[in-house]
Amino acid sequence: MAAYSSPPSSHILLAILIPILLLTATADANEERKVYIVYMGHQTSSSSSTEAQHLNLLKQVLEGCAPCDSLVYSYTKSFNALAAKLLTKEMEKLAGMKGVVSVFPSKILHPRTTRSWDFLGFPATVNRNPPLESDVIVGMIDTGVWPEAESFNDQGLGPPPRKWKGDCINLKCNNKIIGARYYNSLNDTSQEESPRDFNGHGTHTASTVAGKSVQGASLYGLAGGTARGGVPSARLAVYKVCWSFGCAEQDILAAFDDAIADGVDIISISIGYPFAFDYFLDAMAIGSFHAMKKGVLTSASGGNSGPYHGTVGNVAPWMLVSAASSTDRHIIDKLVTGDQRFIVGASVNTFATEKESYPFVYFGDGSFPPADCTHLDEKLVKGKIVVCGYIDDGTGAYLAGAKGAVMLDDTYLDTPFSFPLPAIVISYSNGERLMQYINKTKNPVANIHKSEAVFDPKAPVVASFSSRGPNTITADILKPDISAPGVDILAAWSTVGKVSGSPNDTRSVEYNIISGTSMACPHTSGAAAYVKSFHPSWSPAAIMSALMTTAKPMNPSLHPDAELAYGAGQLNPVKAVDPGLVFDATDNDYVQMLCDEGYNKSMIRIITGDERCCSSLGRRTARDLNYPSMALHVASNESFAANFTRSVTNVGDACSRYRVKIKADGRLKVAVNPKTLVFTKLDEKQGFVVSVSGGPMATNSAASASIVWLDGKHSVRSAMVVYTDFTT
């Protein structure tokens, strides 16, 4: 149930997004070159022709180096650019050529572990409120924690806040980890009875939220730099609910129950399902509702079942749900064949590049794709690099003594992950070329290089694995809510946890690079804690609103699913501290929404735990919930019209005037009444109505809009999406 990327043994197959480059190499190892980004503006040609143009461009300026050796990355989808290893004089020639907009050094030369927070515009030097930040307690419901990790040292922290009522059970706490409990109702005996993390996932998420700064962190030299969490002075309370078999719902509810009573301010839970359950059948929805009633915001992962529609697993409107997006630091790997061609692919390969190449083989009847590598004959594989027809966790090749594995996959093309041996994931089209090379060559050989970090100017882009909307429980509530970094994230790890998904992986590390909405969730949780440190009295809904309405709009040309992929946009913690206006809501508002959606008294009681009567407010729908974003499901090929009623609370300047700005897809007609909101004091509320009409829209389509309130200082943006049924 843990929502982080793992090898295919747990059903999520991850590969590489960037176009695979098949290059002929004659590199001079003595040449010293730097990587530069060459930007050429808008994309006007096909991907294949643009790649050819890039190679031809390099051919005109390179000296003593083949274009395929120089080219690192060819950006061909939404804009026209390339990354190449160049000498200074070659860079200067390129900069003066027709069609080249700019040439600048790639930031990959100095990658930083803190890249995800820095990429969000949230540096270590950001303005903080230290006394109140150290009073914020984040409850981590996960696989536990490895308390010895340096990220959890308590240097400079005083005793826990007075409000803290929790306990440490079978684990020694300090002034950073102030609470630790575990829940093992199914009696997993494979781990000790304690909150200690034997997986690594919980340690990773906890350090992402609130880890102290640690210099020199890396994964075998990859992504080296200073590791830190979003709120380094905040406290952590750990609730271990996940064991070797998974995470039992009853344990999750128990953890919610304890966390609320213990006095946490934020709950971060990177756990979920591959699809949504109705609220009254969902332990997380129920637990988080109770947390919300007590003033505790629950931040949850959206799930790793993308890119398919309707797969977001956590959809309750009282939960803040994150999608996973990339940062500008991307991990790649390379395969070099005996004819000096190399292919760029995906993996977090920590193994050093070998000086020699190894025999290159595949198995099967000669047809494509070749056989998988689940069960291999050691006599045929030992000491060789094997091509696997499908992707797996690498255990089969590892146990057979292979020197490496080349795995084929086309499903997920943007996220690398680890294997217990040198391995790389490439596309099926490149796999066919490799098989041709093997078949036509007397002694085919290959070499898999150690991974490296490169600069990705497209970022942020929502990962393929990240679960998409629409919300399958309440169609007119947009989920996911927001996007946050969740690809190639380096953070603290349990030294007894497996680096990869293989049970035979014997490596032990203090930091690991993994991907998933599990990694996005703690970024959002850390940002929520940051806002809480400035506004301790704000409700969960107000904090959600602040984060969502200040989110940065994302590039729609890179996201055909638009808001169904990224929600309100990319997390922007610094702006969220001063949002100007917030869309607030209480537990009564959420109950009214359930009533409006047809939930009966017994269903509502399961969720709320008390007797609630639906008020008679006339004909209403979920669109009347005071939510920061807006979603409308419409019938395919029919005209439509609908209203959204909203109310905003002034948390900016006491005397202020906001004017509305509307941006909408041409298929939509959007109006707001009134167009101006005038406030004369803080905490004053003003209402407005958004009307949207249009159509007809075809099946499998979505149209976007935004409603932005501006006062000259603040920009309060509500994302809107109108969508039809999806059949693909």
Side-chain angles (χ1 to χ4, degrees):
M1 295 169 67
Y4 72 106
S5 73
S6 59
S9 56
S10 64
H11 87 273
I12 298 299
L13 308 179
L14 302 177
I16 192 83
L17 174 62
I18 61 173
I20 301 301
L21 310 176
L22 187 60
L23 307 174
T24 304
T26 56
D28 181 351
N30 296 321
E31 291 190 32
E32 295 182 2
R33 296 175 176 274
K34 294 181 180 180
V35 178
Y36 290 87
I37 303 298
V38 183
Y39 180 63
M40 289 174 281
H42 297 293
Q43 174 65 291
T44 58
S45 305
S46 66
S47 295
S48 58
S49 63
T50 303
E51 288 182 20
Q53 291 169 9
H54 292 170
L55 290 171
N56 184 58
L57 191 69
L58 291 174
K59 185 178 180 180
Q60 298 177 54
V61 301
L62 293 175
E63 299 179 8
C65 179
C68 50
D69 284 340
S70 171
L71 188 62
V72 174
Y73 214 161
S74 187
Y75 308 106
T76 62
K77 292 187 176 180
S78 298
F79 54 88
N80 188 354
L82 62 92
K85 296 178 181 179
L86 303 169
L87 299 174
T88 301
K89 57 183 178 180
E90 296 168 346
M91 176 272 294
E92 291 172 347
K93 288 181 181 178
L94 265 178
M97 294 182 69
K98 182 179 180 180
V100 174
V101 177
S102 63
V103 181
F104 53 92
S106 172
K107 298 175 183 176
I108 64 172
L109 298 177
H110 306 283
R112 294 180 293 172
T113 302
T114 55
R115 193 68 214 137
S116 58
W117 286 113
D118 288 338
F119 180 68
L120 292 174
F122 193 65
T125 55
V126 71
N127 180 41
R128 295 185 182 275
N129 194 346
L132 290 181
E133 183 173 304
S134 64
D135 278 346
V136 175
I137 305 167
V138 182
M140 305 298 304
I141 301 179
D142 213 299
T143 66
V145 71
W146 194 256
E148 291 81 8
E150 186 61 24
S151 294
F152 305 126
N153 82 78
D154 63 353
Q155 184 177 358
L157 291 174
R162 292 183 179 181
K163 64 184 178 183
W164 178 243
K165 301 175 183 178
D167 200 357
C168 292
I169 302 174
N170 290 358
L171 193 78
K172 184 178 180 181
C173 290
N174 60 14
N175 288 328
K176 165 57 73 173
I177 302 173
I178 63 173
R181 302 178 185 271
Y182 66 95
Y183 309 84
N184 187 17
S185 64
L186 297 184
N187 298 315
D188 185 345
T189 59
S190 66
Q191 301 176 16
E192 70 177 40
E193 291 272 312
S194 82
R196 185 171 289 278
D197 182 12
F198 289 85
N199 177 287
H201 183 272
T203 300
H204 197 281
T205 56
S207 65
T208 301
V209 173
K212 300 295 287 291
S213 293
V214 180
Q215 296 181 350
S218 74
L219 177 63
Y220 292 101
L222 279 175
T226 300
R228 66 178 175 90
V231 278
S233 297
R235 317 303 180 113
L236 291 167
V238 175
Y239 302 86
K240 179 176 179 177
V241 299
C242 298
W243 303 78
S244 61
F245 59 82
C247 322
E249 277 195 311
Q250 61 268 32
D251 293 340
I252 293 171
L253 272 178
F256 268 104
D257 193 29
D258 279 340
I260 297 165
D262 287 345
V264 304
D265 298 292
I266 307 289
I267 290 175
S268 184
I269 180 165
S270 292
I271 299 171
Y273 306 96
F275 50 85
F277 287 88
D278 214 327
Y279 308 130
F280 58 86
L281 299 174
D282 183 344
M284 288 179 55
I286 295 169
S288 59
F289 186 91
H290 287 271
M292 175 271 301
K293 286 199 299 182
K294 295 294 185 179
V296 179
L297 173 63
T298 298
S299 170
S301 54
N304 294 342
S305 298
Y308 309 106
H309 293 109
T311 54
V312 62
N314 291 316
V315 297
W318 47 86
M319 299 172 69
L320 179 58
V321 179
S322 298
S325 56
S326 60
T327 71
D328 57 4
R329 183 183 65 195
H330 188 61
I331 307 296
I332 65 169
D333 200 0
K334 296 176 182 177
L335 172 76
V336 181
T337 54
D339 59 354
Q340 293 304 297
R341 297 190 300 176
F342 67 84
I343 293 175
V344 175
S347 71
V348 180
N349 179 27
T350 66
F351 301 97
T353 304
E354 297 279 2
K355 294 182 179 180
E356 60 179 306
S357 296
Y358 294 95
F360 199 23
V361 299
Y362 70 88
F363 298 97
D365 58 9
S367 62
F368 187 83
D372 65 52
C373 294
T374 306
H375 302 288
L376 296 172
D377 188 337
E378 182 177 352
K379 295 178 182 179
L380 300 176
V381 174
K382 189 173 183 179
K384 302 175 182 178
I385 294 176
V386 60
V387 180
C388 306
Y390 305 94
I391 191 171
D392 60 38
D393 65 7
T395 298
Y398 174 78
L399 293 178
K403 279 292 184 179
V406 178
M407 302 185 186
L408 310 183
D409 181 70
D410 274 339
T411 306
Y412 299 95
L413 302 174
D414 53 357
T415 308
F417 56 97
S418 296
F419 299 93
L421 77 169
I424 186 172
V425 181
I426 64 173
S427 68
Y428 279 101
S429 61
N430 280 284
E432 289 187 273
R433 295 189 183 106
L434 289 180
M435 286 186 65
Q436 292 172 6
Y437 162 72
I438 293 172
N439 290 333
K440 294 179 180 180
T441 306
K442 184 177 180 180
N443 296 304
V445 295
N447 192 350
I448 299 174
H449 287 203
K450 182 178 179 179
S451 291
E452 59 181 295
V454 299
F455 177 67
D456 183 1
K458 300 188 307 297
V461 178
V462 174
S464 295
F465 64 77
S466 187
S467 291
R468 265 63 170 176
N471 184 335
T472 57
I473 304 302
T474 307
D476 289 348
I477 297 294
L478 177 61
K479 293 290 176 175
D481 290 306
I482 202 163
S483 179
V487 179
D488 297 347
I489 305 301
L490 188 142
W493 198 250
S494 167
T495 57
V496 297
K498 302 297 182 184
V499 174
S500 68
S502 172
N504 298 95
D505 196 330
T506 59
R507 290 171 291 176
S508 174
V509 299
E510 295 181 350
Y511 291 85
N512 199 7
I513 297 173
I514 58 176
S515 302
T517 55
S518 275
M519 287 60 258
C521 169
H523 281 91
T524 304
S525 305
Y530 179 68
V531 174
K532 183 77 172 179
S533 71
F534 284 86
H535 306 286
S537 64
W538 277 12
S539 69
I543 295 174
M544 280 181 62
S545 174
L547 292 169
M548 292 170 64
T549 60
T550 58
K552 295 180 181 178
M554 296 181 73
N555 188 342
S557 68
L558 299 176
H559 299 92
D561 296 323
E563 287 80 7
L564 298 178
Y566 50 67
Q570 181 79 344
L571 184 69
N572 189 6
V574 173
K575 289 289 186 181
V577 169
D578 184 19
L581 306 173
V582 294
F583 295 82
D584 209 352
T586 67
D587 57 322
N588 289 327
D589 295 312
Y590 296 116
V591 170
Q592 184 61 48
M593 184 217 75
L594 295 173
C595 295
D596 296 337
E597 288 294 293
Y599 286 76
N600 61 39
K601 187 175 181 179
S602 60
M603 292 175 181
I604 293 174
R605 184 177 182 182
I606 294 172
I607 301 167
T608 66
D610 54 29
E611 298 285 348
R612 300 286 181 105
C613 294
C614 294
S615 60
S616 178
L617 297 177
R619 189 174 181 180
R620 291 166 49 99
T621 70
R623 297 191 299 276
D624 295 302
L625 176 66
N626 201 35
Y627 211 65
S629 61
M630 303 174 196
L632 175 64
H633 173 241
V634 299
S636 301
N637 303 311
E638 294 183 14
S639 298
F640 57 85
N643 292 334
F644 298 84
T645 58
R646 292 294 187 267
S647 172
V648 286
T649 303
N650 182 24
V651 295
D653 297 328
C655 296
S656 53
R657 176 186 294 268
Y658 287 82
R659 299 182 184 276
V660 72
K661 179 180 180 181
I662 301 170
K663 183 178 181 181
D665 185 290
R667 293 169 290 178
L668 304 178
K669 182 179 180 181
V670 181
V672 178
N673 185 34
K675 294 181 173 62
T676 302
L677 300 177
V678 178
F679 298 90
T680 59
K681 59 183 178 181
L682 288 176
D683 298 321
E684 183 180 352
K685 297 181 184 294
Q686 295 283 354
F688 61 93
V689 176
V690 178
S691 301
V692 59
S693 59
M697 289 171 53
T699 302
N700 300 321
S701 61
S704 301
S706 62
I707 294 87
V708 187
W709 292 99
L710 302 164
D711 70 343
K713 177 180 178 182
H714 304 95
S715 177
V716 187
R717 177 178 175 271
S718 288
M720 174 191 286
V721 63
V722 178
Y723 67 94
T724 59
D725 289 329
F726 287 92
T727 59
T728 58

